Structures are given as C-alpha cells and as structure tokens.
Amino acid sequence: MLGKLLKYEFKATSRTFLLMYAGVLVLAMITAITSYFAPDIYTSTTPGFAKNLSAIMEGLVVTLYIVAITALFVATLVIIVVRFYRMLGDEGYLWFTLPVTADQHLISKLIVGTVWSLASFVVLLLSFLILATPAGLPDIFKGIAEFWRDAVSNGFHPSLWIICGIFLIVVSFVSSILTYYTAIAIGPNIIKSRLGGTVLAYLIITVAIQIISSIFTAAVMPAFVGIMQRIDRLPYDSQLYSVAGEQALVLGTLLYGLLLIAFAIAGYFISRHFMTKKLNLA
C-alpha cells in the first residue's frame, strides 16, 4: 500500500513541480543570454535610449530570476506542508478510511516531500551553472578540477566533503519536514483553530529545538574547539594535518547529523502518536 501512496503523491504533485523547475531553468537561460549580450550594447556609438532600454531589460530579467528561485522554495515548502495539512483536515475523513496505517501515511508524505526538496535544491544548482555559462563555465570547472587535484595531492579526500554535505542536506530536509508535520498533528489539540494551533505548536517546537541545540552546542563545542586548536598547530603540508582535519569534519558532521536525526525521530513518533491516539480532524 505504501507504493500506491507514493505513486499517488508523486502523480498529484509532479506536474506543479516540473512546471516550476522548467520555469526557473528557462529564466536562468534567458538571464544568462541577456547578461552575455548586454556588454555589446554599451559602446560609445550606442544611442542613449538603447542603453537605457538594455539596462532596464537586464534588470528586469535578473529580478524575475530572483523572484522565480525564491518562489520555487516557498512553493516547495507550501506544497509539502499543505498536502499534510489537508490530510489531517477535511480530507482526513477519506484518507483515514483507507486500509493504510499512520506510519504509511507519514512515510509516504515524508519521502515525497524530501524528494521534491532535494529536486528543488538540484534545480537551483543547475540554474546557477546556467548563469555561469557566459562567464566561462569551462574555466569554472577547470578551477574546480585544479582545486580537487591540489586537495588530493595534500592528502585530503574531497569526495568525503561531498558525502558529508549531502548527508547533512538530506537529514536537514527530513528533520525540517517532520517539524512541520509534528506541528500540524499537534495543532488542533492545543486550541480550536486548526491553523492557529498549528502555528502555535510550530513556534513552541522551534523554541524547544533552539534550546536543545544550544545546550548540545555548549556541551560539545569546547571539546571540538580543542580538537581544532590541536589541528592548527600541525604543519599544513603534513599527512597528519589532512587526516586530523578530515576526522574533525566527519566528527562534526556526525554530531550535528545525529542531533538532526534525534529531532526527526522525535517528530516522527510524536506525529504518529497524535495521528493514532489523538487524531482531531475538526
């Protein structure tokens, strides 16, 4: 049944997301083309009105691109939240008559939300690459390749940095989505207003997360700073420096990742509890 839920969720949301992705990438291409040809207009023989028109068009295109990428992430968040919010609202009378468990509902929504969040992030990166094309994309890749070779020659493993980054991005998305789900599940049980209760619950959860994060940081930061200070005393070109530096990177990634995972697990089971024991569809 989980497979059917996933298929339905992707089908219900794919058209909207794909249209948004296409719009952002098209605007990125238009912005890149405009930026590429704009300098050719600014010559001594170019009429003033042509220069002004070019500047206005270039500014308009850039503004539209910025609005588009901002709207992309806002829309991604709104769609993810609204899909779950509706399931625990009027649509819940239909959803919870299906032979589907609360775990399957949660997991399907979480997987789809995470996939679309990652896809939106990838589209943003692709749009940046498109914008960089007029500035010399091959030169950018060449610079990255040289940096990679220098890092490897000094004993570092850039692939490990990428793995740590991807891990933190995925865990951050999952934890954030479950925070919204938890607030939506708790909300109707705080006050009669579903929306007001959800907002209030989210504020309470956010404050609790900040307090726990601060306590956690205060507990581990002194030891972590001590490790970094010992690493700084090592010669930069030594093998020990690269090994110790990457060990610190992995340690920091794991510590922060485990904190986010703990928040995600707590959010999952709290949401599940309210969906099974205190479900309120009013």
Side-chain angles (χ1 to χ4, degrees):
M1 197 64 185
L2 179 60
K4 293 182 179 179
L5 287 175
L6 288 171
K7 182 179 179 180
Y8 173 80
E9 282 297 315
F10 278 117
K11 185 177 180 180
T13 54
S14 59
R15 183 174 181 179
T16 301
F17 278 106
L18 293 178
L19 286 174
M20 289 194 299
Y21 296 159
V24 169
L25 295 178
V26 168
L27 276 173
M29 287 187 283
I30 295 173
T31 304
I33 293 170
T34 304
S35 300
Y36 180 76
F37 287 106
D40 295 337
I41 298 177
Y42 297 100
T43 63
S44 58
T45 59
T46 304
F49 77 90
K51 293 180 180 180
N52 293 334
L53 180 62
S54 174
I56 292 172
M57 291 299 296
E58 186 178 2
L60 178 61
V61 170
V62 172
T63 301
L64 287 174
Y65 170 73
I66 295 173
V67 171
I69 60 175
T70 304
L72 172 63
F73 281 94
V74 172
T76 300
L77 174 61
V78 169
I79 292 172
I80 291 172
V81 170
V82 168
R83 295 289 301 176
F84 192 80
Y85 185 85
R86 288 179 176 174
M87 187 185 72
L88 296 188
D90 293 337
E91 294 182 6
Y93 293 102
L94 171 63
W95 282 106
F96 287 95
T97 58
L98 300 174
V100 180
T101 64
D103 290 303
Q104 291 173 326
H105 279 307
L106 265 173
I107 292 172
S108 64
K109 290 286 193 296
L110 179 60
I111 290 175
V112 173
T114 303
V115 168
W116 287 129
S117 297
L118 291 171
S120 297
F121 182 74
V122 171
V123 168
L124 177 65
L125 295 181
L126 288 175
S127 71
F128 287 164
L129 288 177
I130 293 172
L131 289 177
T133 301
L137 191 59
D139 293 336
I140 294 174
F141 283 131
K142 182 180 179 181
I144 294 173
E146 291 177 354
F147 172 79
W148 191 286
R149 286 194 299 269
D150 291 341
V152 171
S153 64
N154 288 321
F156 293 100
H157 300 84
S159 56
L160 179 63
W161 307 347
I162 295 175
I163 292 172
C164 289
I166 293 174
F167 169 73
L168 286 180
I169 290 171
V170 173
V171 174
S172 296
F173 282 143
V174 171
S175 180
S176 297
I177 291 171
L178 282 169
T179 299
Y180 295 121
Y181 288 177
T182 304
I184 293 170
I186 295 175
N189 295 277
I190 298 179
I191 58 177
K192 292 183 178 180
S193 171
R194 172 173 294 277
L195 180 59
T198 298
V199 172
L200 180 58
Y202 180 76
L203 292 175
I204 294 172
I205 293 170
T206 301
V207 171
I209 289 175
Q210 292 298 323
I211 292 173
I212 295 172
S213 298
S214 298
I215 294 172
F216 179 82
T217 301
V220 303
M221 187 56 69
F224 194 76
V225 170
I227 293 173
M228 296 305 297
Q229 288 175 343
R230 286 194 293 271
I231 293 174
D232 287 338
R233 299 190 192 102
L234 298 172
Y236 176 77
D237 56 352
S238 68
Q239 187 72 22
L240 187 59
Y241 181 91
S242 59
V243 171
E246 289 188 338
Q247 286 178 345
L249 172 66
V250 172
L251 176 62
T253 300
L254 288 177
L255 287 174
Y256 186 59
L258 288 174
L259 179 64
L260 292 176
I261 290 172
F263 289 145
I265 292 174
Y268 179 88
F269 282 104
I270 292 173
S271 300
R272 183 180 182 276
H273 171 75
F274 277 89
M275 290 174 66
T276 55
K277 305 297 184 181
K278 297 184 178 181
L279 182 63
N280 186 348
L281 302 178

